[in-house]
Amino acid sequence: MNRQDIEISDLRRITELVKEQYKYDFTNYAMSSFRRRILRIMELYKFGSADLLIKRLKDDKSFFDEFIAEITVNVTEMFRDPPFWRELRDNVIPNILLNHNTISIWHAGCSSGEEVFSMSILLKEMGILDKAKIIATDIDKVILEKAKKGHYSMKNMELNEKNYIRFEGKNNFKDYFKEENGKAVMDKSLIQNVSFREHDLVQGVVFNKFDLILCRNVMIYFNQNLQNEVLKKHHESLFKYGYLVIGSKESLIWCEIANKFIVVNNEEKIYKKIKD
């Protein structure tokens, strides 16, 4: 099958089936990236036509988990964009703690957990890990299990360590994990205050209030309409004067609730909620 050979009507049939049968709504995903992912799945599983993919989705519930894992691709690393993590440690978190003695954090779209472990290491080094309540959510069950386990490929740890050094961490990065059978096994005590939950940013409800929400590089896959809806939920999920962080290629400027935030750091895409 030609790589480009998928019709818009086929993509629509796929999103309708997934919405109807599995209650996941991809109708507002950015079309070009959704199309790329579908083509990748067809190549991986050797589906010669969209009909074959649709049939498999209809008939095989366990295949759906694999489908979700491919659609919500997870590319991540620890302390990604080290200057951002320095800004969190030096300014954002101290600011939150001026008025509170605890901090609540939501990692929205936590993927395989690298960001969650980075946050826990940062809080531990600030001496406040025990004052933090962290919720980490993702739409993908399989990836959540991976995040809970905290087992990563040793070859990724080299980049993670470089990021940690650029973040100017206080300790030796290697103290935070053990090597077992070629895997880096993260220290479990880092995530004892973390609750991992399956949650769909698109259809999920507002379930809590937070001082800090991180939703980095998740919305680039959504069209503007959907980004707007998700950002409204984030606004609702923040305490007044709480902070929202989005990805470097994402923006808040154009959306409906833009005037309810001020820009704290434009470079690192950190915003503060100033109006309910």
Side-chain angles (χ1 to χ4, degrees):
M1 174 177 187
N2 179 316
R3 270 194 62 88
Q4 299 312 314
D5 231 352
I6 188 158
E7 303 292 328
I8 294 286
S9 58
D10 291 328
L11 292 174
R12 207 163 283 136
R13 283 163 60 214
I14 292 166
T15 52
E16 278 166 11
L17 166 70
V18 166
K19 191 174 176 182
E20 203 174 296
Q21 192 164 326
Y22 296 101
K23 307 290 179 271
Y24 283 80
D25 188 354
F26 288 111
T27 44
N28 284 316
Y29 263 54
M31 192 47 92
S32 57
S33 86
F34 186 70
R35 184 163 184 251
R36 253 197 328 275
R37 301 275 164 87
I38 292 291
L39 285 167
R40 190 181 131 77
I41 289 170
M42 290 175 69
E43 219 168 76
L44 271 175
Y45 290 90
K46 314 250 187 302
F47 292 125
S49 70
D51 288 339
L52 290 169
L53 168 59
I54 288 167
K55 184 173 177 352
R56 181 80 185 269
L57 279 169
K58 260 193 190 134
D59 301 344
D60 183 355
K61 281 196 171 55
S62 64
F63 170 68
F64 181 70
D65 288 340
E66 297 171 36
F67 174 84
I68 283 287
E70 286 301 328
I71 292 291
T72 58
V73 137
N74 300 286
V75 185
T76 180
E77 58 201 52
M78 286 185 204
F79 294 101
R80 182 183 192 166
D81 310 318
F84 159 72
W85 291 94
R86 287 202 298 273
E87 180 68 17
L88 267 194
R89 175 190 61 201
D90 300 344
N91 297 312
V92 174
I93 292 173
N95 243 317
I96 292 169
L97 291 170
L98 280 177
N99 308 314
H100 308 75
N101 50 11
T102 60
I103 179 170
S104 57
I105 299 169
W106 177 20
H107 294 271
C110 69
S111 186
S112 43
E114 282 89 341
E115 183 184 84
V116 181
F117 277 102
S118 306
M119 180 67 80
S120 297
I121 289 169
L122 176 152
L123 294 168
K124 189 181 170 99
E125 293 187 0
M126 289 179 77
I128 56 170
L129 185 55
D130 56 337
K131 294 179 177 172
K133 185 171 188 298
I134 300 171
I135 292 179
T137 65
D138 206 277
I139 189 175
D140 177 355
K141 286 198 285 278
V142 179
I143 211 81
L144 270 177
E145 282 310 311
K146 192 174 172 190
K148 273 185 214 170
K149 266 201 183 118
H151 291 189
Y152 300 109
S153 151
M154 274 309 291
K155 69 173 192 295
N156 297 353
M157 293 318 261
E158 206 173 303
L159 173 60
N160 293 338
E161 183 171 18
K162 277 185 186 145
N163 286 347
Y164 175 77
I165 290 165
R166 283 178 53 215
F167 152 70
E168 295 162 13
K170 285 182 183 171
N171 299 330
N172 182 343
F173 183 65
K174 291 187 171 71
D175 293 342
Y176 293 114
F177 65 89
K178 298 195 300 283
E179 188 177 345
E180 284 175 20
N181 309 323
K183 287 260 186 230
V185 177
M186 298 303 293
D187 176 355
K188 271 287 191 285
S189 71
L190 288 167
I191 53 168
Q192 62 193 18
N193 293 352
V194 179
S195 162
F196 289 96
R197 299 185 192 170
E198 199 183 332
H199 179 263
D200 179 351
L201 282 177
V202 179
Q203 303 194 99
V205 293
V206 170
F207 59 88
N208 218 328
K209 283 276 196 200
F210 298 93
D211 300 305
L212 172 61
I213 296 175
L214 294 91
C215 186
R216 297 170 78 212
N217 309 307
V218 177
M219 291 183 295
I220 38 178
Y221 303 117
F222 301 163
N223 69 14
Q224 279 206 331
N225 181 19
L226 184 51
Q227 288 182 31
N228 204 27
E229 290 309 307
V230 170
L231 288 165
K232 279 199 287 201
K233 281 183 198 165
H234 286 342
H235 171 264
E236 214 181 311
S237 304
L238 276 171
F239 288 117
K240 196 170 180 186
Y241 308 122
Y243 292 83
L244 171 65
V245 184
I246 58 178
S248 57
K249 294 186 180 68
E250 297 163 339
S251 170
L252 210 74
I253 307 298
W254 55 270
C255 81
E256 265 174 56
I257 44 122
N259 65 336
K260 297 182 175 183
F261 285 88
I262 52 168
V263 179
V264 174
N265 185 318
N266 198 32
E267 185 67 16
E268 305 304 340
K269 292 294 195 312
I270 300 170
Y271 303 87
K272 186 178 195 170
K273 173 175 169 173
I274 50 160
K275 287 188 205 148
D276 277 323

